[in-house]
Amino acid sequence: MDVVAGLVHAANIAAKLTDSEKLMVLTRAYITIQEGGEALGEVEATADSDVAVDIITSTGMVAQLSDEEFKTLLLEAADQIRDIKIALDRKRARLSAP
Protein backbone atom coordinates (compact mmCIF):
# COMPACT_ATOMS: atom_id res chain seq x y z
CA MET A 1 0.00 0.00 0.00
CA ASP A 2 1.15 3.51 -0.76
CA VAL A 3 2.57 5.25 2.34
CA VAL A 4 0.26 8.25 1.99
CA ALA A 5 -2.80 6.01 1.70
CA GLY A 6 -1.58 4.02 4.70
CA LEU A 7 -1.20 7.18 6.78
CA VAL A 8 -4.65 8.44 5.84
CA HIS A 9 -6.13 5.00 6.63
CA ALA A 10 -4.38 4.92 10.02
CA ALA A 11 -5.63 8.44 10.75
CA ASN A 12 -9.18 7.30 10.04
CA ILE A 13 -8.91 4.35 12.44
CA ALA A 14 -6.74 6.03 15.09
CA ALA A 15 -9.00 4.94 17.96
CA LYS A 16 -8.60 1.28 16.97
CA LEU A 17 -4.78 1.28 16.86
CA THR A 18 -2.59 0.09 19.71
CA ASP A 19 0.26 2.25 20.94
CA SER A 20 2.77 -0.02 19.18
CA GLU A 21 0.84 0.24 15.91
CA LYS A 22 0.78 4.02 16.29
CA LEU A 23 4.52 4.04 16.91
CA MET A 24 5.09 1.89 13.83
CA VAL A 25 3.00 4.25 11.66
CA LEU A 26 4.80 7.34 12.98
CA THR A 27 8.17 5.70 12.39
CA ARG A 28 7.21 4.80 8.80
CA ALA A 29 6.08 8.39 8.19
CA TYR A 30 9.35 9.79 9.52
CA ILE A 31 11.48 7.37 7.50
CA THR A 32 9.53 8.20 4.35
CA ILE A 33 10.06 11.93 4.91
CA GLN A 34 13.78 11.32 5.50
CA GLU A 35 14.12 9.17 2.37
CA GLY A 36 12.28 11.80 0.33
CA GLY A 37 14.62 14.48 1.62
CA GLU A 38 17.61 12.35 0.66
CA ALA A 39 16.22 11.82 -2.84
CA LEU A 40 15.68 15.56 -3.22
CA GLY A 41 19.07 16.39 -1.79
CA GLU A 42 17.39 18.29 1.04
CA VAL A 43 18.02 16.02 4.02
CA GLU A 44 18.40 18.82 6.56
CA ALA A 45 15.35 20.71 5.34
CA THR A 46 13.07 17.69 5.66
CA ALA A 47 14.62 16.51 8.94
CA ASP A 48 14.10 19.95 10.44
CA SER A 49 10.57 20.40 9.12
CA ASP A 50 7.87 21.00 11.71
CA VAL A 51 6.18 17.73 10.79
CA ALA A 52 9.37 15.66 11.12
CA VAL A 53 10.19 17.25 14.48
CA ASP A 54 6.62 16.68 15.71
CA ILE A 55 6.80 13.03 14.66
CA ILE A 56 10.09 12.45 16.48
CA THR A 57 8.77 14.18 19.58
CA SER A 58 5.54 12.18 19.47
CA THR A 59 7.24 8.80 19.19
CA GLY A 60 8.45 9.23 22.75
CA MET A 61 4.95 9.89 24.03
CA VAL A 62 2.59 7.88 21.83
CA ALA A 63 0.52 6.80 24.82
CA GLN A 64 -0.14 10.43 25.75
CA LEU A 65 -1.34 11.49 22.29
CA SER A 66 -5.08 11.86 21.88
CA ASP A 67 -6.58 10.16 18.85
CA GLU A 68 -7.20 13.61 17.37
CA GLU A 69 -3.57 14.68 17.87
CA PHE A 70 -2.37 11.43 16.31
CA LYS A 71 -4.75 11.85 13.38
CA THR A 72 -3.64 15.45 12.78
CA LEU A 73 0.02 14.43 12.87
CA LEU A 74 -0.53 11.65 10.34
CA LEU A 75 -2.46 13.89 7.97
CA GLU A 76 0.28 16.54 8.17
CA ALA A 77 2.88 13.86 7.43
CA ALA A 78 0.79 12.62 4.48
CA ASP A 79 0.67 16.19 3.11
CA GLN A 80 4.43 16.60 3.44
CA ILE A 81 5.06 13.24 1.76
CA ARG A 82 2.74 14.24 -1.11
CA ASP A 83 4.68 17.49 -1.49
CA ILE A 84 7.95 15.56 -1.55
CA LYS A 85 6.59 13.19 -4.21
CA ILE A 86 5.50 16.14 -6.36
CA ALA A 87 8.95 17.76 -5.99
CA LEU A 88 10.61 14.45 -6.92
CA ASP A 89 8.40 14.10 -10.00
CA ARG A 90 9.32 17.64 -11.08
CA LYS A 91 13.01 16.95 -10.51
CA ARG A 92 12.85 13.74 -12.56
CA ALA A 93 10.96 15.53 -15.34
CA ARG A 94 13.62 18.26 -15.50
CA LEU A 95 16.40 15.67 -15.59
CA SER A 96 14.76 13.69 -18.37
CA ALA A 97 13.81 16.70 -20.48
CA PRO A 98 15.87 17.12 -23.66
Side-chain angles (χ1 to χ4, degrees):
M1 181 186 318
D2 179 79
V3 174
V4 172
L7 293 176
V8 172
H9 176 71
N12 288 329
I13 62 167
K16 297 178 182 179
L17 298 176
T18 65
D19 287 346
S20 16
E21 289 170 327
K22 289 178 179 180
L23 180 59
M24 185 176 64
V25 171
L26 289 173
T27 301
R28 184 69 234 153
Y30 183 78
I31 290 169
T32 303
I33 290 169
Q34 290 299 98
E35 289 172 347
E38 288 173 13
L40 285 171
E42 299 177 12
V43 177
E44 288 182 26
T46 55
D48 293 339
S49 73
D50 290 341
V51 175
V53 171
D54 287 348
I55 290 171
I56 287 301
T57 303
S58 298
T59 58
M61 55 182 225
V62 169
Q64 287 78 36
L65 288 176
S66 71
D67 291 337
E68 196 58 39
E69 290 169 326
F70 178 73
K71 179 178 181 174
T72 298
L73 188 56
L74 291 185
L75 295 177
E76 288 173 354
D79 283 343
Q80 183 166 0
I81 292 167
R82 274 190 215 105
D83 290 345
I84 290 169
K85 286 183 176 188
I86 290 168
L88 282 171
D89 288 344
R90 287 182 182 149
K91 183 177 180 178
R92 288 181 188 124
R94 279 193 312 269
L95 294 175
S96 66

